[in-house]
Amino acid sequence: MRAEGEKTVRDRASDALLMTRVSSRDSTACRELVALHLDGVVGLAMRMLNGNRAEAEDVAQESFLKLWRQAGRWRPEARIRTWLYRVAHNLCIDRIRKQSRESGETAPDQEDHAPGPQSHLESRQLAAAVNRAVAALPERQRTAITLVHHQGFRQAEAAQVMGVGVRALESLLARGRKTLRVRLAAVRRDVNRG
Amino acid sequence: MSKREQETQEIDSHRLAELLASYGADSERWPESERDAITSRLESGANDLLPSQQQEAQALDDLLDLAPPEEASPELMARVLEQAGMTPWQRLLKELWPWGAAWRPAAALLCSMVMGLLVGGLFPGTSPSGTVMADPLPEVVIELAWLEPQEQEEDYLTLAFALESASEVLP
C-alpha cells in the first residue's frame, strides 16, 4: 500500500517534469509521451466509437492538441494518463451524443445483440468473435472493460476517467463481463476443445 | 466458528466473488486496498466455490486478451508529433489553413497587396474615369449647351470639322 502511494507520488513528479519539457517543445519529451499514450487513446476511442478509425484518430489528435496547449499550465498533482484519457473519453461521449441527436435516437445504453459465435473458429476468427461481443456491449460497459482489462487502469483512475464512482465502475465491469461470459460460452467451449 | 466469524467470512466471500466478477483473476487488476486480503483468502481455500469462480474469471480474461484494442496509425503519430513541435501561433495558422503549408496563401495575399501598392504608387493619375471627372469641360462645350437647337447644330459642325463657319458644309 505504502509502496503504491510512493509510486503514485513518483509518477506525478515525473509527469510534471515531462510536461515542463513538453511546454518548452522538447521533441524527445513529446515523442516519449506520444509513444506512451497514443495507442491507448486510439484503442479506447475506437472501442467507444464502435470501431470508427477516422473518428477515433480525430479524437486522439484533438486530445493531444489539448495536452500540448495545457503543457505550460500543468498542475503538478495531475496525472498525464488520467487527464488524457478523460479528455478523449469526453470527446467520444460528445460525438456519440451528436450522432444520436442527428439520427434522432437516444444515446443507447441498452445492449445490442451481437451475432452468435460460430463453432470451430480459427484463432483470428476467435479474436474477431471476442471483438464483436465487446463491441456489442453498452458503451459504458465496454469503456470500463477496455480501461481496466486492456489499458491496465487502476480502479480509482478508471473511475476518474469515466467520471463515475468506484462502485459504479465495479458494477459496469461486472455486468459487462457477465454478458461476455454468456455470449462467449460457445467460443470458450471451442477453445477448451482445441 | 462463532456466528460473528461466520458472518464476516460470508461477507468476505461475497465481496471476493464480486471482485473476481468485476476485475477478473489477475491480481494486478484487483484494487490495491484489497489485493493482499484477496490473495490470502484464495490461498486459504476457505470457500469451495471460489476456485471455480476464479477459473471462470481467468477463462474470460484469456478470451479478452485475444482481442486487444486497435493501435494508432503511423500517419496519426506523425500528425500529433508535428502539432507538438508548433508554437501556439503556428497551431492557430494550421487550424485556419489545414490544407498544407500556410505560407502559400499568406504569400499570395502579400504579393497582391504589394502589387496593388506599387501600381497605385507608380501610376497615380492613370485611371480613365478619374481623368474625365477631374478635367473641366472645355468652355466651348458648356456654351453649346445653352444654344438653340439650330445654333447648336451649326456650332457642332464648326467644332467637329474645325471650320470657320457652318455655311461651308451646310446646304
Side-chain angles (χ1 to χ4, degrees), chain A residues 39 47 69 149 154 170, chain B residues 15 32 64-65 67 72 95:
Chain A
D39 281 344
R47 276 273 160 82
R69 283 185 184 143
H149 187 91
R154 301 259 176 263
E170 274 183 12
Chain B
R15 177 66 185 147
E32 290 153 28
L64 283 170
D65 287 341
E95 277 174 37

Side-chain angles (χ1 to χ4, degrees), chain A residues 6-152:
Chain A
E6 283 168 6
K7 186 181 174 298
T8 308
V9 171
R10 264 202 319 275
D11 287 346
R12 284 193 174 131
S14 119
D15 276 3
L17 194 65
L18 194 58
M19 288 306 277
T20 310
R21 287 167 60 203
V22 167
S23 68
S24 57
R25 294 202 299 286
D26 175 338
S27 61
T28 314
C30 296
R31 203 169 280 278
E32 200 178 313
L33 232 161
V34 169
L36 272 173
H37 301 299
L38 184 63
D39 281 344
V41 171
V42 169
L44 174 70
M46 278 193 75
R47 276 273 160 82
M48 287 185 74
L49 299 167
N50 263 330
N52 186 332
R53 176 170 282 277
E55 289 246 357
E57 293 207 341
D58 277 354
V59 163
Q61 190 171 349
E62 204 177 331
S63 307
F64 272 87
L65 183 59
K66 284 178 190 284
L67 183 69
W68 306 142
R69 283 185 184 143
Q70 188 67 26
R73 291 167 285 158
W74 191 255
R75 288 178 294 110
E77 69 272 19
R79 292 293 315 273
I80 295 174
R81 185 166 85 146
T82 314
W83 190 93
L84 197 54
Y85 278 73
R86 175 111 176 104
V87 168
H89 174 267
N90 289 350
L91 288 172
C92 288
I93 295 286
D94 288 348
R95 282 173 191 246
I96 292 166
R97 285 186 184 147
K98 194 176 165 210
Q99 281 164 6
S100 302
R101 272 200 304 275
E102 281 169 2
S103 63
E105 292 166 10
T106 52
D109 210 28
Q110 71 274 17
E111 291 176 18
D112 301 328
H113 294 286
Q118 300 159 356
S119 56
H120 305 296
L121 295 166
E122 302 288 331
S123 70
R124 196 160 44 86
Q125 289 172 305
L126 192 61
V130 176
N131 261 327
R132 278 200 304 277
V134 174
L137 288 175
E139 179 270 306
R140 284 171 8 121
Q141 291 176 22
R142 65 174 184 267
T143 303
I145 287 176
T146 304
L147 285 172
V148 173
H149 187 91
H150 290 111
Q151 317 280 22

Side-chain angles (χ1 to χ4, degrees), chain B residues 132-144:
Chain B
V132 169
M133 292 307 289
D135 289 347
L137 288 169
E139 266 182 45
V140 65
V141 177
I142 298 169
E143 281 169 13
L144 271 172

